Amino acid sequence: MFVDLVRIKLSSGKGGDGTVAFRREKFVPMGGPSGGDGGKGGNVIFVGDEGLSTLVDLKYNKVLRAEDGENGKPKKMNGAGGNDLIVKVPVGTTIYDEETGKVFGDITDNEQRVLVCRGGRGGRGNVKFTTSRNTAPEIAEKGEPCITRLVRCE
């Protein structure tokens, strides 16, 4: 089966949330903040592949989603970043935004990469908000939301 036009919904990964945590030890009366940052969400990247000749693989996968970033953890540990979603398409594919008609990229070479959806940035933990006046902040940032796009590949 030969398919040369596909419409799919792409979604990048959401950034992980920062954490509010405090250090507690037996002989340390005022431990202080220890919340880590959230991880970055995964990107959606199209890659040209000379071995492919049709878009039939994308015809049956109407929604593609990259991984979300993990939330931050205590002990100043950052969350893991989400893996990028690599979508292999044949060389000669043009990627359009379905709503605006804008061209994201034209894949003309083998292993050429086109970034279509950027992943969300991870939120900051309460360690990042420490100041001389507020040594134990109880706030943290949420991660940036994901980007969702309708895309047409020809």
Side-chain angles (χ1 to χ4, degrees):
M1 175 187 275
F2 182 75
V3 177
D4 64 347
L5 176 67
V6 173
R7 289 181 175 86
I8 52 177
K9 182 177 180 180
L10 301 175
S11 183
S12 65
K14 176 192 173 301
D17 298 335
T19 300
V20 175
F22 295 94
R23 200 175 116 213
R24 296 286 176 235
E25 294 180 27
K26 187 173 182 180
F27 297 108
V28 180
M30 303 295 275
S34 70
D37 299 341
K40 181 185 173 303
N43 300 324
V44 178
I45 301 170
F46 281 72
V47 178
D49 187 4
E50 287 180 342
L52 296 176
S53 61
T54 180
L55 294 169
V56 72
D57 296 337
L58 298 178
K59 181 177 180 175
Y60 300 108
N61 293 329
K62 294 293 184 182
V63 178
L64 299 175
R65 183 165 169 74
E67 285 186 7
D68 294 338
E70 285 186 6
N71 294 337
K73 298 178 178 65
K75 298 183 183 177
K76 299 180 186 175
M77 292 191 292
N78 296 340
N83 292 331
D84 293 342
L85 176 66
I86 305 294
V87 181
K88 294 193 178 216
V89 294
V91 174
T93 302
T94 305
I95 304 158
Y96 297 96
D97 187 350
E98 187 69 18
E99 295 164 357
T100 63
K102 176 186 163 194
V103 176
F104 282 117
D106 188 13
I107 297 178
T108 57
D109 296 325
N110 189 31
E111 298 296 322
Q112 180 183 349
R113 301 167 78 86
V114 174
L115 177 67
V116 177
C117 292
R118 186 174 299 279
R121 187 179 59 86
R124 295 180 292 174
N126 67 338
V127 171
K128 302 287 180 164
F129 295 102
T130 304
T131 62
S132 62
R133 290 185 164 214
N134 187 6
T135 57
E138 295 183 4
I139 58 172
E141 277 184 339
K142 295 217 177 267
E144 288 183 356
C146 61
I147 296 173
T148 304
R149 289 196 169 119
L150 295 173
V151 173
R152 183 178 79 235
C153 299
E154 291 183 6

